[in-house]
Amino acid sequence: MNVRRPLCLLFAVFAIVGLSRAQDGDGADTASAEIIAEAAPVISPLPVPSVTASDVPNDDGSAILVEWELSPSDSVGGAVVGYRIYRAFADSGVFVVIGNRSARQNSTVNGEEVEPGVDYLYRVDVLAVRTNADGSSDTLAIPSQSSVPVAAVVQWFNTDRLWALIWFVIIAAATIYFIEKAKRGGNIYVRKIGGIDAVDDAIGRATEMGRKVFFVPGIQDMNDVQTIAGIAILGRVGAVAAEYETRLEVPTSRSMVMVTARETLKESYSKAGRPDSFQEDQVYYLTDEQFAYAAAVDGRIVRERPATIFYMGAFFAESLILSETGNAAGAIQIAGTAEPTQLPFFVAACDYTLLGEELFAASAYLSREPRQLGSLKGQDFGKGIFLLAILLGVILATANLIDLSQYFRIN
Amino acid sequence: MRREVPLLITFITGVVFALSYFIPGGWLGQTERVFGDWITIVQAFAVWLGVLNLLKISLIKIQRKEHDWGYSVVIAVCLVGTIAAGMYSGFAPQFESFRDPETPFNFIFRNIFAPLGATMFAILAFYVASASYRAFRARNREATILLIASFFVMGGRVPLLDSIFMPIIDGTFFADFAGWIMSYPVTAGQRAIAIGIALGIMASSLRVILGIERSHIGGGN
Amino acid sequence: MAGHWIAVAINVVVGLTLVWVLVRTIQGRPIERRIVFVYIALAVATPLFMKLEAPLAETPEVQSIVTTIKELPPGSRILISFDYDPQSAPELQPMAEAFIKFAFKQRHKVIIMGLWPLGPDQANQAIRAALEDPSVAELAPEYGVDYVNLGFQSGNEFVIQGMGSAFKNMFPQDERGTIYDNIPILRGVTNFSNVDYVQVFSSGKPGTREWVQVAADRFGATVGGGTTAVQAPEMYPFLRSNQLIGLMGGMTGAAEFEKAVEELGKANTFLLSQMFAHATVIVFVIFGNIAYFRSRRRDASTDAPTPGGIS
Amino acid sequence: MSLDIGVWIGALLTLGIFSFLYRDNPFYKLCESIFVGVSAGYWFCVFFFDNMVRKFYFGVFPSEAGIEPKYFLIVGAVLGALMLTRLIPSIGWISRWPLSFIVGATAGLYMMLFFVSNGLNQVADTMLPLYRETAGGDFDPAETLGTILVFIGTFTGLIYFFFSKEHKGLFGGAARVGIFFLMVTFGAAFGYTVMSRMSLLIGRMDFLFRDWLGLLG
């Protein structure tokens, strides 16, 4: 055995070299290729010694992990080119190919057409190139023993995500605590944020100039949290605009956003005591297409020359198309988005930009309502925990003591 | 009823969908996909509201002969025309799908929609230039940093700085430096923003679920 | 060639007018943005007519693609997936054209498919461009024998997964409706073990990442990538771990590939345009700053807001 | 010059959009109106055939035997139908129900997804030893510097986002450092994107000069 393995290897290398040279098809080389092929005896690679299959944990019972020991013949430069994985229903025993893996790989996940609770058998064939005495070659498949039957299981709690639950509960509980505390009274300090403080003045400016205010709620639908945040801000902006009797216009690129924005504004106007000033046509749909929407809003910006433009929500490439036009039209622009790729463009073209988290905080700020402000305190608590964790984690990792990241990394 | 039912619906769905994150089995294990499917179907319904609104506004403008009403005619005709072409392309038996290369719908897409979209996108090249000319000025420390970072990345990403300094510094120094900026300081900035966003979304979602933030149902307090 | 000289002349003149812009800027009368637009338009358009070679360094990730293709014996089968749409065509189309030309010249067999609906259409354009090349036309590659377009299949990475057991399952017929088994080039092609190389041109998801994760990792295919510049950095981890044998990133990567296969084409021209445009933007940023410092000297109020009003 | 009518339409529309760079004009207004009308119609058809017919109808009533109907899709249709009550003013308020459902689901679902992917995992990624070695076990100065920068930048950047504490003293100083990192991020990301934006313009120019005018080889 000790001698055989290196010998096998050597022959396999010869066989491969001979094969590849023979394939070149050069007349001069054929002779030597023949000699090598003749010298190499027909050898069969060894099968996979064992195959184990197990349920993939923490899933909906739709995947099985198949692992095997590498064939002893599978070594660098060896004749083994890969493995072919077969599966059979335990009750029928008929094996069907489910996939291939290349040499030196020893596992695969069977994630397709797996029913939970059904027993399966797995088998792994070694695929190897065999060189025949006449110099030709073919691919051999040497089957393994089948694995013991295994069934996928549905889990009801994903234990991989336990730490996510723990951290979430801690921060959420703190947030709710601060909300309750704020409700009972108690002064909550929030620092100045330029972009948010500027809202009133920006609308006031439009009133003085007798021009419109535009509010652009992004180009995503209501299933984006940023749009929801943008609409919440629209509620506050709408109340101020109603109070100042400034015409506010909301072009949307999504029908559902149009509907929601109308509901929101209607309420804002009636809360400001001016329900009659609200007209449905203030909020209108243009088109779902990103660039057509940008083209149309651009056109409106140059024609109507609004004094103030808000961009609040999810923005993509149109961010600069809109804000550059607004800038050239002389509007005061306040933007807010959590799309990191677009922040630089708003920063370059707008007077004020709410960065990521500030977009989500803005409506709470503008409401000045204790419960809303309390939730901001909860956000800060979360940041405090993360800061502490990062600091500790880095120190402990540098000192090579404990890897804290394992409590934060979630699959 | 009008106010309480929506609040209750938001609360229940919010809690259920949040919990589903921890449950791998059953349909709760696939809420992201299931919800995605629902949304696409709701969008197919909701688009009627938008398109009818667009048509209504255009027709009103035409009827009242408002300023520039001619363009409203163009919008209305293009809208109805495209829908007609799409329906014909989708239902006519000679086409397999409304997207087939030979359909009139595809003709509109290729020769009207696509070039318009591509050009609107390309306009950005001009705006990027004018925005940099105006905004990237060393007004204060922050602006200077912004300027320097953009300068090196802009010049390093194409073989511009490297070829200018070829006689002095050999190789791809500026390309590597641009890469270094992208992989370290930029990672740091983006990570801070990302973590902030995570907490921001968490707090504002909690406000929505708990009914503190209720603007989406037209509700103040 | 006349175009080249006219373009060069225009550039010289335009370059001289920059002095005027600089003087005006120093005088405190910054030019309006429409003039900036004119410069950008010229910077992008004129290099298209020039016959210059962009200066480029050799990178291992592009060279390894070239070497791999060169080392394959003639008649090897290359699978190319077109995973992008017209919007990314300026970056990826030159790459695809150069690659296909090169593959044909090396006498390889080309199998085309797409995970993006409009991908196979881009492929047809690239093939057409390749066939117009006289040296390719001489070889007269024949549809069905030397190349085939399997068309688009929906399902993202699951298509790759399905191809792992049999291409035929995912593509029962080619784009022209011919049954898989009746296409000569596909005879004997069951799955990834029968293709010698997989090249992906991608601008997003599904794209190179998915091909690496499924075709390379799971089925052991040799995968090379070609991505937009924006995507390229994300692919470097795969290069380092050798899951991806090579990568062309954006126009720079495409131009380098053209140079390596001695086939200067669109990518090289486009890269020139890009360099001119970048240079123009940088020049204007510098001018903008000169203007600012001049005006600050005149007007001492320096309480400028942070960019984006961030505080 | 091209003889293809499609190329001509495309070229004229391209010029129309570009004319906006000079100023707003009737040619641009025409192109804009065409774009709005055509694209709204386009998406209407896509929603109809892809979402309504293919996803919903063939999802619930599969065209081939052996495919299981996806009855859960009916929920989407019910929500959609309730949305349409908007068209009848007297019962329009019912549309708040599907909206509440969508907003609630979005809040619940993405709250967790972002909390983990944007929050916890990013925190975990930052917990690296500050002393970095090369694969060979030697001190790696570039990687070490990079790791330290990522740590400082993330830490101070987060401090900038604190709402309930005034940016004063040491805390304020840290927040300022955080702003510096944000500025580097924005500047670099801006410069980085310039390249892809320019290539889009190159694509359009190539279309005009090559495909339409035929001036390029």
Side-chain angles (χ1 to χ4, degrees):
Chain A
M1 184 68 202
N2 288 348
V3 195
R4 237 180 90 194
R5 261 179 74 175
L7 261 185
C8 279
L9 235 168
L10 200 66
F11 281 128
V13 170
F14 268 68
I16 295 273
V17 170
L19 183 68
S20 59
R21 306 227 1 220
Q23 261 184 353
D24 286 345
D26 250 320
D29 270 0
T30 353
S32 59
E34 266 166 20
I35 296 162
I36 292 169
E38 248 170 61
V42 176
I43 39 155
S44 292
L46 300 166
V48 165
S50 71
V51 178
T52 50
S54 54
D55 175 40
V56 172
N58 290 316
D59 71 349
D60 57 349
S62 65
I64 289 172
L65 173 68
V66 186
E67 293 167 297
W68 57 90
E69 274 181 65
L70 293 182
S71 154
S73 325
D74 183 2
S75 49
V76 179
V80 172
V81 291
Y83 297 94
R84 182 163 293 158
I85 299 96
Y86 288 81
R87 184 183 79 175
F89 289 101
D91 45 10
S92 75
V94 180
F95 281 95
V96 180
V97 182
I98 56 161
N100 297 299
R101 295 292 273 165
S102 47
R104 312 292 305 156
Q105 293 184 320
N106 64 351
S107 69
T108 190
V109 172
N110 176 204
E112 269 177 79
E113 293 174 20
V114 173
E115 289 289 326
V118 177
D119 280 332
Y120 297 102
L121 301 171
Y122 290 87
R123 191 186 92 197
V124 178
D125 289 11
V126 174
L127 303 179
V129 177
R130 182 181 64 175
T131 312
N132 298 318
D134 61 353
S136 68
S137 67
D138 48 22
T139 308
L140 282 181
I142 301 106
S144 71
Q145 297 290 319
S146 118
S147 68
V148 290
V150 63
V153 184
V154 183
Q155 272 88 14
W156 285 106
F157 182 79
N158 187 342
T159 48
D160 283 346
R161 293 179 172 176
L162 179 64
W163 279 100
L165 184 64
I166 293 173
W167 293 120
F168 179 80
V169 167
I170 292 176
I171 298 172
T175 309
I176 294 172
Y177 166 77
F178 285 118
I179 292 173
E180 288 301 313
K181 195 177 154 197
K183 214 160 62 176
R184 288 196 305 270
N187 206 1
I188 290 172
Y189 170 81
V190 279
R191 74 172 169 87
K192 247 171 79 96
I193 291 185
I196 299 175
D197 288 340
V199 168
D200 276 19
D201 287 346
I203 300 172
R205 177 177 184 258
T207 317
E208 280 167 24
M209 296 170 79
R211 297 228 198 113
K212 287 181 182 173
V213 173
F214 274 20
F215 189 102
V216 184
I219 62 157
Q220 289 294 83
D221 216 327
M222 289 310 294
N223 61 333
D224 190 308
V225 201
Q226 296 183 64
T227 313
I228 299 177
I231 293 289
I233 299 170
L234 173 66
R236 322 282 181 232
V237 168
V240 181
E243 202 182 311
Y244 290 1
E245 297 194 48
T246 304
R247 167 104 173 154
L248 173 66
E249 223 170 82
V250 187
T252 74
S253 91
R254 301 284 177 167
S255 305
M256 257 190 283
V257 177
M258 174 187 80
V259 172
T260 320
R262 281 183 178 167
E263 285 287 328
T264 307
L265 269 195
K266 200 157 107 188
E267 182 72 21
S268 300
Y269 274 70
S270 58
K271 249 180 30 189
R274 293 200 167 78
D276 301 333
S277 311
F278 175 73
Q279 292 162 335
E280 287 229 315
D281 292 349
Q282 275 176 263
V283 184
Y284 50 89
Y285 165 89
L286 285 165
T287 164
D288 272 74
E289 169 61 24
Q290 175 185 20
F291 291 114
Y293 177 71
V297 175
D298 259 11
R300 275 165 179 72
I301 290 174
V302 277
R303 277 159 232 151
E304 313 256 353
R305 301 204 150 266
T308 306
I309 309 176
F310 292 93
Y311 306 97
M312 298 285 169
F315 288 86
F316 299 91
E318 70 288 349
S319 65
L320 191 68
I321 300 180
L322 299 174
S323 52
E324 243 329 83
T325 308
N327 187 296
I332 286 264
Q333 305 194 95
I334 304 180
T337 186
E339 291 301 330
T341 49
Q342 300 309 318
L343 283 171
F345 300 108
F346 278 143
V347 165
C350 294
D351 301 276
Y352 298 97
T353 309
L354 302 178
L355 310 175
E357 189 178 4
E358 295 170 347
L359 168 75
F360 300 104
S363 72
Y365 256 96
L366 288 167
S367 76
R368 291 276 144 202
E369 190 201 324
R371 288 191 304 170
Q372 298 254 13
L373 293 177
S375 73
L376 292 184
K377 193 102 182 152
Q379 256 166 280
D380 276 2
F381 177 83
K383 256 170 285 179
I385 287 198
F386 285 170
L387 279 178
L388 208 64
I390 290 175
L391 192 62
L392 270 177
V394 167
I395 292 173
L396 293 175
T398 310
N400 207 3
L401 288 173
I402 311 167
D403 179 19
L404 262 193
S405 70
Q406 56 185 307
Y407 305 112
F408 288 86
R409 193 176 310 286
I410 313 289
N411 290 324
Chain B
M1 262 298 268
R2 292 193 183 189
R3 192 129 299 166
E4 286 74 19
V5 172
L7 281 180
L8 198 66
I9 294 176
T10 310
F11 178 75
I12 294 171
T13 47
V15 171
V16 170
F17 275 78
L19 283 180
S20 75
Y21 180 77
F22 301 98
I23 299 165
W27 78 269
L28 279 172
Q30 304 167 8
T31 39
E32 206 185 338
R33 194 175 59 77
V34 168
F35 182 58
D37 282 352
W38 285 345
I39 281 288
T40 53
I41 294 168
V42 177
Q43 278 172 334
F45 279 89
V47 74
W48 281 87
L49 299 171
V51 164
L52 286 175
N53 186 253
L54 179 64
L55 200 58
K56 187 184 109 187
I57 291 181
S58 303
L59 293 179
I60 289 176
K61 245 185 162 175
I62 298 167
Q63 193 193 14
R64 293 190 193 148
K65 296 253 182 319
E66 279 179 32
H67 179 65
D68 271 354
W69 62 273
Y71 298 107
S72 296
V73 177
V74 177
I75 293 182
V77 169
C78 288
L79 174 66
V80 175
T82 308
I83 293 177
M87 292 300 144
Y88 170 73
S89 307
F91 287 112
Q94 70 264 40
F95 307 123
E96 205 173 300
S97 127
F98 72 110
R99 280 205 181 87
D100 274 6
E102 305 83 37
T103 58
F105 188 71
N106 191 271
F107 181 88
I108 294 175
F109 174 77
R110 255 182 307 133
N111 299 309
I112 300 178
F113 186 105
L116 280 168
T119 312
M120 210 52 215
F121 203 172
I123 275 211
L124 262 179
F126 296 102
Y127 288 167
V128 159
S130 62
S132 347
Y133 176 53
R134 193 192 57 248
F136 287 2
R137 294 183 184 177
R139 290 196 181 89
N140 47 32
R141 260 182 300 177
E142 289 81 3
T144 312
I145 293 172
L146 184 87
L147 170 70
I148 294 172
S150 76
F151 178 84
F152 279 111
V153 173
M154 229 185 281
R157 289 286 300 164
V158 290
L160 186 68
L161 288 178
D162 278 323
S163 41
I164 292 174
F165 288 94
M166 197 95 86
I168 312 166
I169 307 164
D170 203 23
T172 55
F173 174 80
F174 289 98
D176 295 342
F177 185 57
W180 185 86
I181 295 179
M182 291 307 289
S183 25
Y184 299 110
V186 170
T187 302
Q190 278 178 341
R191 200 168 275 171
I193 295 173
I195 297 174
I197 288 172
L199 290 165
I201 288 185
M202 181 182 165
S204 71
S205 297
L206 276 178
R207 288 197 295 268
V208 167
I209 293 171
L210 297 175
I212 300 174
E213 179 65 65
R214 48 179 80 168
S215 45
H216 64 284
I217 47 160
N221 310 297
Chain C
M1 218 46 194
H4 169 73
W5 290 112
I6 296 171
V8 170
I10 293 176
N11 264 285
V12 172
V13 175
V14 168
L16 290 175
T17 60
L18 277 175
V19 178
W20 165 76
V21 174
L22 181 63
V23 170
R24 272 196 58 146
T25 316
I26 291 176
Q27 287 169 347
R29 293 182 295 148
I31 51 162
E32 67 162 317
R33 53 185 217 138
R34 281 184 281 194
I35 299 179
V36 180
F37 295 164
V38 173
Y39 278 100
I40 291 292
L42 287 173
V44 169
T46 52
L48 294 177
F49 295 90
M50 291 187 192
K51 306 255 180 290
L52 288 178
E53 198 176 313
L56 277 175
E58 287 187 1
T59 61
E61 56 266 30
V62 174
Q63 301 302 325
S64 77
I65 293 184
V66 179
T67 329
T68 310
I69 305 293
K70 271 192 181 154
E71 280 173 1
L72 290 174
S76 297
R77 293 195 187 91
I78 296 178
L79 176 74
I80 311 178
S81 189
F82 280 72
D83 305 337
Y84 63 96
D85 56 17
Q87 262 170 10
S88 323
E91 276 187 272
L92 296 174
Q93 199 67 14
M95 211 183 261
E97 282 175 18
F99 185 88
I100 289 183
K101 265 187 217 172
F102 183 54
F104 279 154
K105 284 189 186 170
Q106 298 288 313
R107 312 261 184 147
H108 295 318
K109 310 264 180 198
V110 176
I111 304 166
I112 287 163
M113 56 166 284
L115 296 178
W116 285 40
L118 298 173
D121 203 39
Q122 298 300 128
N124 287 336
Q125 289 179 27
I127 295 265
R128 239 176 282 138
L131 292 181
E132 277 169 17
D133 187 281
S135 52
V136 174
E138 212 169 277
L139 301 169
E142 195 184 329
Y143 187 86
V145 179
D146 300 301
Y147 67 98
V148 69
N149 189 343
L150 295 174
F152 158 74
Q153 183 54 266
S154 65
N156 301 344
E157 59 267 37
F158 297 107
V159 175
I160 315 175
Q161 174 82 30
M163 290 170 73
S165 35
F167 284 11
K168 199 165 70 176
N169 292 352
M170 290 295 121
F171 297 96
Q173 38 189 250
D174 75 349
E175 200 194 30
R176 304 182 180 182
T178 316
I179 305 292
Y180 190 95
D181 289 332
N182 297 343
I183 304 169
I185 182 178
L186 297 172
R187 234 159 263 154
V189 179
T190 314
N191 53 35
F192 289 115
S193 37
N194 310 109
V195 295
D196 302 280
Y197 178 79
V198 179
Q199 174 68 33
V200 188
F201 295 111
S202 72
S203 64
K205 185 181 156 54
T208 309
R209 177 187 297 273
E210 284 68 31
W211 278 97
V212 167
Q213 286 167 346
V214 184
D217 289 2
R218 212 170 288 178
F219 301 110
T222 311
V223 179
T227 66
T228 54
V230 175
Q231 276 230 303
E234 288 174 41
M235 300 301 141
Y236 277 90
F238 297 132
L239 274 176
R240 258 175 251 139
S241 57
N242 277 327
Q243 289 160 288
L244 195 60
I245 69 121
L247 179 73
M248 297 179 248
M251 272 176 204
T252 329
E256 190 192 330
F257 181 82
E258 285 185 348
K259 199 172 167 183
V261 301
E262 289 159 14
E263 188 75 60
L264 289 190
K266 270 189 191 174
N268 188 72
T269 325
F270 284 9
L271 184 65
L272 266 184
S273 283
Q274 196 144 54
M275 285 174 61
F276 273 66
H278 274 219
T280 313
V281 174
I282 290 177
V283 164
F284 276 106
V285 169
I286 294 170
F287 283 8
N289 277 284
I290 295 173
Y292 167 69
F293 281 110
R294 290 286 306 177
S295 68
R296 202 174 65 160
R297 210 170 295 164
R298 263 193 302 270
D299 169 20
S301 72
T302 56
D303 200 17
T306 3
I310 292 155
S311 58
Chain D
M1 202 171 266
S2 172
L3 296 173
D4 183 341
I5 175 87
V7 171
W8 271 86
I9 298 174
L12 291 177
L13 293 172
T14 301
L15 293 176
I17 294 288
F18 277 147
S19 73
F20 183 70
L21 290 167
Y22 177 63
R23 58 184 296 179
D24 191 29
N25 62 75
F27 193 16
Y28 174 75
K29 284 189 205 171
L30 180 67
C31 292
E32 173 202 318
S33 307
I34 293 175
F35 200 7
V36 168
V38 165
S39 66
Y42 172 85
W43 280 107
F44 182 88
C45 294
V46 170
F47 282 142
F48 181 79
F49 287 113
D50 281 355
N51 302 1
M52 195 82 106
V53 177
R54 213 182 49 161
K55 175 132 252 153
F56 172 66
Y57 185 79
F58 286 118
V60 179
F61 309 102
S63 55
E64 290 165 52
I67 299 176
E68 229 166 282
K70 299 175 186 155
Y71 290 118
F72 74 88
L73 293 175
I74 293 174
V75 177
V78 171
L79 293 172
L82 289 177
M83 247 359 248
L84 289 184
T85 56
R86 275 264 130 189
L87 291 171
I88 309 158
S90 57
I91 54 164
W93 55 272
I94 294 179
S95 66
R96 288 174 182 180
W97 295 359
L99 272 177
S100 309
F101 183 91
I102 289 163
V103 170
T106 304
L109 192 59
Y110 293 109
M111 172 168 73
M112 291 319 300
L113 291 176
F114 274 88
F115 181 69
V116 170
S117 67
N118 263 14
L120 296 180
N121 284 340
Q122 297 286 331
V123 169
D125 284 344
T126 316
M127 295 174 173
L128 290 173
L130 296 182
Y131 175 85
R132 304 308 298 264
E133 289 171 351
T134 58
D138 302 323
F139 174 63
D140 186 339
E143 189 73 18
T144 301
L145 179 67
T147 316
I148 293 176
L149 277 181
V150 171
F151 164 63
I152 296 176
T154 311
F155 196 84
T156 54
L158 264 183
I159 287 186
Y160 161 76
F161 283 113
F162 262 88
F163 299 121
S164 55
K165 209 160 154 45
E166 209 170 345
H167 287 176
K168 273 208 299 214
L170 186 63
F171 194 80
R176 279 241 85 73
V177 176
I179 292 184
F180 287 172
F181 272 94
L182 293 178
M183 288 298 152
V184 173
T185 308
F186 297 152
F190 193 109
Y192 190 76
T193 326
V194 170
M195 184 159 172
S196 63
R197 301 302 182 243
M198 288 303 163
S199 56
L200 294 163
L201 179 58
I202 295 169
R204 286 330 284 165
M205 292 285 190
D206 191 56
F207 168 73
L208 288 179
F209 289 120
R210 191 188 304 270
D211 300 349
W212 183 46
L213 296 176
L215 292 178
L216 297 169

